[in-house]
Amino acid sequence: MKRAAGIVLAVFAALLASTIATAAQTGAIEFTVRATPAAGRSEPVRGFPFYLLRKSYADIRKEAEASQPSPDMSAFIDRLEVSPEMKAWMKRTKSVSLSGPSFTHRVKIDDMLNVPEFYQAYLELNAGDRAIGFPTPKYREKDRLSNPQKYAKQKTEYRDAVRHFLVSNPQSADTLDLRLMDIDPSHRWEQIEAQRGVEIRRQMHELAETRYLAGRTDTDLDGNGFFRGLSPGQYWLSSLDLDASVGDVQLRWDTPVTVLAGETTRIELSNINAVEPRRNPR
């Protein structure tokens, strides 16, 4: 009996020594999460999930983006059913949008006259409006075959008159985009980019929750959380792409934490070290 008791005590002592040795070789993190709305006092962030990562979520994003090449805008433009001049303009301006103030800013006078779609839209927008003194064409379609020289001369003269009017009245092109809505391909391009965004976010979550995950926990009612038994090294406390909403603010964290052997690292997460704090829309 005494021998058996001695063996049990020896095993217990060995296990205790092993546990103490392991604890001395690992570290821990204790953290508190509090958020402060614009008009109010600091409040604990309760029941909120936090991930302990071996790589920052920002760098995980870069890794996911690198694995999903940006869609080829040039190839997209080549597939459009528009004039060669329009395709060249899109490639030069690196945009397929034909609407909004930024579009109007990109379209120069030469573009208006040389890109068939722009020129036709501009004529439809202004032609026949005598109140503003818009030029009236003198060339006739019947002359195109019977008197091509006269036709070409009068058409060039009309184009020059349109240019002069446009230079003198730049506001006459302000609503050009309304005449281009039917051929504006920006919606299709946005869908392609959005599909890439969805795949990037999916891969970010997969990487964060598998390859780079060191632990996961939820904060308690006081906004506290902890991780134990961590190998020494650099970690990141991250809320991934989840927002902690408190009052009128939305907060995310991707905060570096260093773990030392045999020590507990304590950190407080707040508005100050949040990533891009945002206001909630009212």
Side-chain angles (χ1 to χ4, degrees):
M1 181 67 71
K2 290 182 179 180
R3 182 179 179 184
I7 292 174
V8 171
L9 288 174
V11 170
F12 177 77
L15 289 174
L16 180 60
S18 175
T19 301
I20 293 173
T22 300
Q25 294 171 5
T26 61
I29 295 173
E30 293 182 356
F31 63 97
T32 300
V33 191
R34 301 186 69 85
T36 307
R41 295 188 298 178
S42 174
E43 300 178 26
V45 176
R46 303 178 177 92
F48 193 77
F50 273 89
Y51 297 79
L52 189 65
L53 305 176
R54 297 186 180 88
K55 186 175 187 176
S56 75
Y57 198 55
D59 286 340
I60 290 175
R61 172 183 289 277
K62 292 177 183 178
E63 182 176 336
E65 288 175 341
S67 69
Q68 298 293 323
S70 299
D72 189 340
M73 179 179 283
S74 181
F76 174 81
I77 292 172
D78 286 338
R79 293 192 296 271
L80 296 176
E81 294 181 1
V82 295
S83 68
E85 293 86 354
M86 173 71 88
K87 292 180 180 181
W89 178 85
M90 288 179 170
K91 291 181 181 181
R92 176 167 53 82
T93 61
K94 298 179 180 179
S95 174
V96 296
S97 176
L98 303 180
S99 62
S102 60
F103 160 71
T104 305
H105 179 74
R106 286 194 301 274
V107 180
K108 308 304 179 185
I109 291 177
D110 285 342
D111 300 328
M112 196 79 70
L113 297 170
N114 296 328
V115 176
E117 290 87 347
F118 294 165
Y119 187 61
Q120 184 60 36
Y122 182 69
L123 293 183
E124 291 174 358
L125 189 63
N126 294 283
D129 192 343
R130 296 184 178 180
I132 61 174
F134 195 80
T136 301
K138 295 181 180 179
Y139 62 90
R140 297 292 180 265
E141 188 61 26
K142 63 180 183 179
D143 294 330
R144 187 168 64 87
L145 296 176
S146 62
N147 195 342
Q149 188 174 2
K150 176 183 177 182
Y151 178 84
K153 181 176 180 295
Q154 291 181 335
K155 193 167 186 178
T156 299
E157 289 173 349
Y158 178 66
R159 196 180 192 88
D160 291 341
V162 171
R163 174 188 287 275
H164 179 75
F165 181 86
L166 181 55
V167 171
S168 302
N169 302 273
Q171 75 282 356
S172 62
D174 285 350
T175 57
L176 183 73
D177 54 350
L178 298 180
R179 297 281 179 168
L180 298 168
M181 293 175 60
D182 291 342
I183 64 170
D184 187 351
S186 59
H187 181 64
R188 280 181 286 160
W189 177 249
E190 288 167 2
Q191 287 181 323
I192 293 173
E193 290 191 310
Q195 290 172 358
R196 176 178 181 255
V198 168
E199 181 56 29
I200 287 174
R201 287 191 293 275
R202 184 201 65 76
Q203 190 160 359
M204 287 171 64
H205 275 272
E206 181 178 326
L207 291 171
E209 296 178 12
T210 55
R211 182 183 302 177
Y212 298 114
L213 184 66
R216 183 193 181 283
T217 190
D218 292 341
T219 55
D220 61 20
L221 294 179
D222 294 317
N224 299 318
F226 63 85
F227 294 97
R228 304 276 191 255
L230 301 172
S231 300
Q234 186 77 28
Y235 296 87
W236 281 262
L237 273 173
S238 176
S239 57
L240 304 189
D241 55 5
L242 302 176
D243 291 325
S245 297
V246 177
D248 63 345
V249 297
Q250 293 178 309
L251 303 176
R252 298 181 186 182
W253 290 271
D254 190 29
T255 308
V257 185
T258 300
V259 172
L260 301 175
E263 296 186 16
T264 297
T265 301
R266 294 176 174 82
I267 185 170
E268 181 170 327
L269 302 180
S270 66
N271 300 52
I272 295 174
N273 52 13
V275 177
E276 299 180 359
R278 299 179 294 166
R279 298 292 180 198
N280 284 328
R282 291 189 178 275

